[in-house]
């Protein structure tokens, strides 16, 4: 639930930043990049401090790089899902339906990467006997 709330708020941050950039005359493409960057930064901070805060994160120093890697994978999955769905679904399918389905796929991948890789737990018992 906390992950979902964080990502939903991150989407609001993303779209607000992009819309604000547009209002200042920034080109659409750059506005979109600004929005994604702001949303990703917001998500990382809130996921780290709140959504996955109960977990002792392993390798906190490299967590930022893992998060960046997870974002790249998530974006690639979303693009692949859009391409695949556009090819599979009937031609008259609304682009927003395709996009929403692709967001669902990429959301799932991002959650799994965030939970099991970016913010992975370090409190698992470790063997000290060299096994």
């Amino acid at each position: 639930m906390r992950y979902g709330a964080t990502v939903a708020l991150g989407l609001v941050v993303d779209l607000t930043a992009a819309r604000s950039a547009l209002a200042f005359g920034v080109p659409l493409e750059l506005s979109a990049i600004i929005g994604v960057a702001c949303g990703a930064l917001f998500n990382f901070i809130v996921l780290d401090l709140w959504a996955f805060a109960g977990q002792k994160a392993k390798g906190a120093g490299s967590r930022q790089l893992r998060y960046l890697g997870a974002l790249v994978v998530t974006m690639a999955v979303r693009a692949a899902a859009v391409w695949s769905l556009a090819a599979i679904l009937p031609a008259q399918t609304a682009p927003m339906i395709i996009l929403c389905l692709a967001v669902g796929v990429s959301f799932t991948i991002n959650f799994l990467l965030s939970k099991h890789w970016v913010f992975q737990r370090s409190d698992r018992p470790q063997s000290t006997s060299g096994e």
Side-chain angles (χ1 to χ4, degrees):
M1 292 296 287
R2 290 187 285 182
Y3 177 83
T6 300
V7 173
L9 288 172
L11 180 59
V12 170
V13 169
D14 179 336
L15 296 176
T16 300
R19 185 172 180 178
S20 296
L22 282 171
F24 282 104
V26 176
L28 178 59
E29 295 82 1
L30 184 55
S31 295
I33 292 169
I34 290 168
V36 169
C38 290
L41 179 61
F42 173 87
N43 281 344
F44 177 79
I45 291 168
V46 176
L47 287 171
D48 189 38
L49 296 175
W50 182 59
F52 294 117
Q55 302 177 6
K56 295 178 184 174
K58 178 179 175 183
S62 64
R63 193 175 324 135
Q64 292 88 350
L65 290 175
R66 290 193 308 264
Y67 187 72
L68 181 60
L71 285 174
V72 169
V73 171
T74 300
M75 291 171 66
V77 166
R78 184 171 301 174
V82 166
W83 181 80
S84 298
L85 289 166
I88 293 169
L89 295 174
Q92 66 271 19
T93 303
M96 284 307 295
I97 290 174
I98 292 170
L99 183 58
C100 287
L101 292 170
V103 165
V105 172
S106 64
F107 177 88
T108 301
I109 295 302
N110 188 268
F111 171 76
L112 294 171
L113 287 171
S114 293
K115 180 160 179 64
H116 299 292
W117 186 50
V118 177
F119 300 99
Q120 63 187 331
R121 296 172 60 102
S122 63
D123 59 353
R124 294 185 183 106
Q126 296 181 355
S127 172
T128 57
S129 62
E131 295 175 13

